[in-house]
Amino acid sequence: MACKRCSSECQNRFSAEINIHFPGIEGLTIPTIWVFPEIVVCLDCGFAEFSIPDTELRRLAQGTDGVSLQ
């Protein structure tokens, strides 16, 4: 599959660990959420993409209830 930004075929998959913080001052009181996705990185332009597993995605949705995303 070609890169969505530059159409390069030069991509690779990597394991990652990402600690997601909620936005704003209100987010400081919400525990962060760790995800360990496989990411696809374009080795020409640096564009990267990944999917968040359902369990962590639900936790993100619950954590943003009442939190301004501005």
Side-chain angles (χ1 to χ4, degrees), residues 1-3 5-14 39-48:
M1 185 179 264
C3 173
R5 182 191 289 165
C6 74
S7 300
S8 171
E9 295 288 336
C10 189
Q11 298 179 63
N12 209 342
R13 295 180 181 276
F14 298 93
I39 61 173
V40 177
V41 178
C42 176
L43 301 176
D44 286 329
C45 74
F47 179 79

Side-chain angles (χ1 to χ4, degrees):
M1 185 179 264
C3 173
K4 291 179 182 177
R5 182 191 289 165
C6 74
S7 300
S8 171
E9 295 288 336
C10 189
Q11 298 179 63
N12 209 342
R13 295 180 181 276
F14 298 93
S15 297
E17 54 185 64
I18 299 171
N19 189 6
I20 300 175
H21 300 259
F22 290 91
I25 194 79
E26 302 89 357
L28 295 175
T29 63
I30 303 170
T32 60
I33 295 178
W34 282 94
V35 293
F36 300 90
E38 182 177 85
I39 61 173
V40 177
V41 178
C42 176
L43 301 176
D44 286 329
C45 74
F47 179 79
E49 60 184 327
F50 63 93
S51 293
I52 297 175
D54 288 341
T55 302
E56 288 80 7
L57 188 58
R58 282 192 297 276
R59 291 177 56 207
L60 285 170
Q62 291 169 352
T64 58
D65 288 346
V67 175
S68 172
L69 299 178
Q70 306 266 321

